[in-house]
Amino acid sequence: KQWYQRRVALTAGGETSYLSVRENYRFQVTEDSVGTYRITLTHCMNTETAVRNEYRFGIKRVTTSPPVDATSPTPAYDLPGELQAGGPPGYTCSAFSGGVLEDFNSRAHFYDLSCTHILAADLMPGGYYIDPWFIYGTFDILDGKTALMHMTFYLGRNIFEVQRGWIVHTRSGNKMELDEGVEQLVPNTECTVNYSDLHIQVSCPLFEAYYDGLMSGHIKLKGDAGTEDLRKGRGNLGLCFDSNSGWRPNWQIGRMRGQCKIDVEEPSCESEGPDTCQLSRAPQTEGSQWSSCGVGAEGACKELNCGGATPTPQQKCALQKANRINCSLKLGRGLFGFDAECPEEECDWKQAVYSQGCPQEYLPFDCS
C-alpha cells in the first residue's frame, strides 16, 4: 500500500497559509480581501512538480455616465441627410471594406485580414479581472475586396454573433427573430440588439456595436470621451487599439494557415485615389485626433479604387454609409441620413443585403 502526502498552500499579501485537502473552503470577497491569491498544490513535497494557480478577486462597481449637456454646441460637420439627436460623443473604431480599419483615435490602417481577428477587448474593465469582454471580427472576400462577414461578442462565458444578412445567433445556436425598431435582450447577457437604420445595433454595458449586415462594422466605447486621445490600458487588446499583437499576426486568432494565412508586410495601395476619395476632415476638437471624420473611409476608398479599379455599386453604398455612421457615432449625432450612392428604394438595399446571408424564415423588415 502506497501513501501520498499532499499539501496545499495559499499565498496572499506575501503571507502563506496551509490548507487541509479534506476540507471545503468558501471565500467571501470584501473590501479588505480583494487582490491576488496564489494556490500551490504539492505532491509528496516535490515543489518541482507542484501545480500553481493564481486567482484575482475584485468587486464590481456599477458606474453611470455623466449627464449630457443639452446646451453644448452641435458639431459643425456638414453631413448629408437630416440627422436626429444622438448620444454623447465617444471613441469609435470602424472596419471598412478593402482591409482598412480606423482605430479609436481615428487613425487609418491597412491590414491583410482573413478569417478571425480581435477587434477590441478589455480583460479588466474598471481595473479588475472580472467581466472581461471581447469582440472578434471575421473577414472574407466580397466583390473582390476584404469585407467584414460577422462580429462575435464574448462577455464572460456568454457569446452571441451578428452575421451577414442581419442575422443574430445566440449561444444556443438559435437565430433571434428581430422586428425593425424593437430592442431585444440577448439571452443570458446584459446586452440588447435592435435592427434599425439598416444596421444591427448592439448595446452592452461598456460598449455599443453596429454592423451593416454586409461588409462594415463599428464599435463605440461608452463613457465620456474627453478632449484627449484614448490611451490603451494594460487590459486592452485588438486592432482598434493597435497591431502590437506579439506572435498573433494582426491580432489573428484561430486558424492561421491555408486560406487564413496573412501577410503582415502587405502594403496598402500606393496609387492615388480619385478626388471623390478626399473624405478626411480636421478634428472637431483641436488636438484630439479621435474627433476626426472620414480618415478610415478615405483609406478604404483608395483601396477600392486601387490601380484604376471600379468599386461595385454595393461597395460604394456601404462605404458611404460606413463613413456617415462612423462620424455620427464619434460626434454624438443620430444615425438616420441620406446616402446618394445607395438605391433610391430602401427595400432594394434590404433585399440585396438579405440575399448575401444565410436563409432565414423571419425577416426583420417588411418589403412585401
Side-chain angles (χ1 to χ4, degrees):
K1 191 171 183 179
Q2 195 171 11
W3 296 89
Y4 294 91
Q5 183 179 3
R6 296 173 181 166
R7 195 179 196 185
V8 180
L10 172 65
T11 302
E15 298 182 1
T16 300
S17 302
Y18 295 97
L19 311 179
S20 170
V21 296
R22 297 181 178 86
E23 299 292 336
N24 293 322
Y25 296 88
R26 175 177 296 179
F27 183 82
Q28 182 175 0
V29 179
T30 66
E31 291 284 352
D32 297 326
S33 62
V34 296
T36 302
Y37 291 78
R38 297 177 179 87
I39 296 180
T40 303
L41 177 60
T42 307
H43 295 269
C44 297
M45 306 302 291
N46 187 347
T47 57
E48 293 183 359
T49 61
V51 177
R52 296 176 175 86
N53 295 307
E54 183 174 287
Y55 302 88
R56 297 179 179 90
F57 295 95
I59 297 177
K60 181 179 179 180
R61 291 181 173 84
V62 179
T63 59
T64 58
S65 301
V68 180
D69 183 4
T71 63
S72 58
T74 301
Y77 287 114
D78 181 20
L79 296 175
E82 180 184 354
L83 297 176
Q84 301 170 340
Y91 300 114
T92 301
C93 173
S94 299
F96 295 91
S97 54
V100 173
L101 185 136
E102 182 182 305
D103 65 24
F104 285 126
N105 286 324
S106 297
R107 296 171 300 198
H109 310 269
F110 170 79
Y111 295 114
D112 185 18
L113 302 172
S114 181
C115 297
T116 304
H117 299 254
I118 302 176
L119 296 180
D122 194 345
L123 300 178
M124 45 186 303
Y128 297 101
Y129 288 88
I130 54 176
D131 294 335
W133 57 265
F134 297 78
I135 303 176
Y136 294 173
T138 300
F139 296 82
D140 66 354
I141 301 298
L142 183 63
D143 289 353
K145 296 291 183 178
T146 301
L148 181 62
M149 182 168 61
H150 55 250
M151 301 174 72
T152 309
F153 302 86
Y154 292 86
L155 301 109
R157 297 181 178 179
N158 297 307
I159 176 177
F160 65 97
E161 188 169 84
V162 295
Q163 300 179 345
R164 182 171 291 154
W166 295 317
I167 298 173
V168 179
H169 266 286
T170 63
R171 181 180 182 180
S172 63
N174 297 323
K175 296 178 182 177
M176 293 185 65
E177 295 185 356
L178 304 178
D179 290 304
E180 189 165 8
V182 179
E183 192 174 59
Q184 297 185 47
L185 184 67
V186 180
N188 302 314
T189 74
E190 297 180 79
C191 302
T192 61
V193 293
N194 182 17
Y195 171 71
S196 181
D197 296 311
L198 302 177
H199 283 73
I200 294 291
Q201 303 179 14
V202 177
S203 179
C204 295
L206 298 176
F207 62 83
E208 300 171 0
Y210 301 78
Y211 180 51
D212 70 351
L214 195 62
M215 60 182 69
S216 301
H218 314 271
I219 302 168
K220 179 179 179 179
L221 300 180
K222 290 186 175 180
D224 185 11
T227 58
E228 298 182 355
D229 288 347
L230 180 66
R231 295 184 180 182
K232 178 183 177 181
R234 58 177 180 166
N236 295 136
L237 309 174
L239 295 174
C240 286
F241 294 97
D242 58 37
S243 59
N244 298 330
S245 51
W247 62 273
R248 295 184 182 275
N250 295 343
W251 281 115
Q252 189 180 48
I253 61 171
R255 293 183 57 190
M256 298 182 184
R257 299 180 181 179
Q259 65 179 7
C260 296
K261 186 176 181 179
I262 62 174
D263 181 6
V264 295
E265 303 296 332
E266 182 173 339
S268 59
C269 182
E270 297 180 354
S271 61
E272 291 292 331
D275 292 341
T276 53
C277 288
Q278 297 179 6
L279 301 172
S280 59
R281 312 261 183 110
Q284 172 69 17
T285 303
E286 186 177 355
S288 300
Q289 176 66 28
W290 72 266
S291 63
S292 303
C293 283
V295 181
E298 181 170 309
C301 184
K302 291 180 179 179
E303 292 295 329
L304 296 179
N305 287 275
C306 189
T310 301
T312 65
Q314 70 177 7
Q315 284 175 333
K316 291 180 179 180
C317 173
L319 177 60
Q320 192 172 62
K321 283 184 180 297
N323 184 33
R324 178 173 56 80
I325 296 299
N326 167 273
C327 195
S328 297
L329 288 173
K330 70 177 59 174
L331 298 183
R333 307 291 298 271
L335 301 184
F336 176 78
F338 172 73
D339 302 298
E341 294 290 348
C342 296
E344 184 175 347
E345 293 293 332
E346 190 174 86
C347 275
D348 291 342
W349 179 253
K350 290 180 176 179
Q351 294 288 358
V353 173
Y354 158 72
S355 67
Q356 300 283 350
C358 294
Q360 48 182 322
E361 296 181 3
Y362 193 93
L363 300 181
F365 55 84
D366 182 12
C367 283
S368 56

